[in-house]
Amino acid sequence: MKLLLQIAYPKEEVENKWGPEGWVWAGLRKAKNNVGRKFIKGNRYTPQDWVWPDGSSPTKFSKWFNTQQPDQAVQRRGQGGCKEKRCYQNNVRINHDGKWDDTYKYKKHPY
């Protein structure tokens, strides 16, 4: 995925590191416990809550952007592109460096 992103949108040409051209969808999404920020101290990421398109879990593997991830921020209808009562960051995107970020499903990315 990193290679495809680099071919389509070279890292050197990406102006905003948080813009859509700097990320691709990973296919990983949070399927359980994704209504709000229910964190256990020191355990922000529970792999069993996340699934790949084939239904498997990423086990212990992760490459979150930083130690504060996933942050699972919440938006209300009308904020950003949220058209639902509440939108949660329950989808994962990957940047040129292979780092993960949780984001909203309404976000547009080239891949």
Side-chain angles (χ1 to χ4, degrees):
M1 285 193 277
K2 288 179 3 180
L3 179 60
L4 289 175
L5 179 60
Q6 181 62 22
I7 291 169
Y9 297 94
K11 184 177 182 178
E12 305 75 33
E13 296 177 14
V14 174
E15 294 178 20
N16 177 357
K17 76 175 185 176
W18 298 107
E21 294 81 16
W23 300 85
V24 294
W25 291 112
L28 185 64
R29 66 180 178 81
K30 191 166 187 196
K32 299 178 192 169
N33 301 317
N34 59 359
V35 286
R37 300 181 187 201
K38 297 181 180 176
F39 299 124
I40 299 169
K41 189 172 182 165
N43 189 17
R44 300 179 73 81
Y45 174 62
T46 304
Q48 297 78 16
D49 289 350
W50 298 79
V51 295
W52 295 109
D54 68 0
S56 67
S57 174
T59 60
K60 293 183 179 184
F61 177 77
S62 68
K63 289 193 75 160
W64 293 106
F65 191 76
N66 62 44
T67 58
Q68 301 302 310
Q69 300 279 206
D71 56 3
Q72 300 173 348
V74 180
Q75 288 182 341
R76 296 182 188 278
R77 185 177 301 144
Q79 290 180 302
C82 183
K83 295 182 180 168
E84 301 173 27
K85 184 177 181 181
R86 286 193 174 81
C87 296
Y88 300 95
Q89 289 185 323
N90 55 10
N91 285 265
V92 176
R93 60 188 186 167
I94 298 174
N95 70 8
H96 285 89
D97 298 321
K99 298 294 184 180
W100 296 3
D101 179 41
D102 57 334
T103 193
Y104 304 100
K105 67 181 179 183
Y106 67 76
K107 294 260 184 163
K108 303 289 183 201
H109 294 296
Y111 296 102

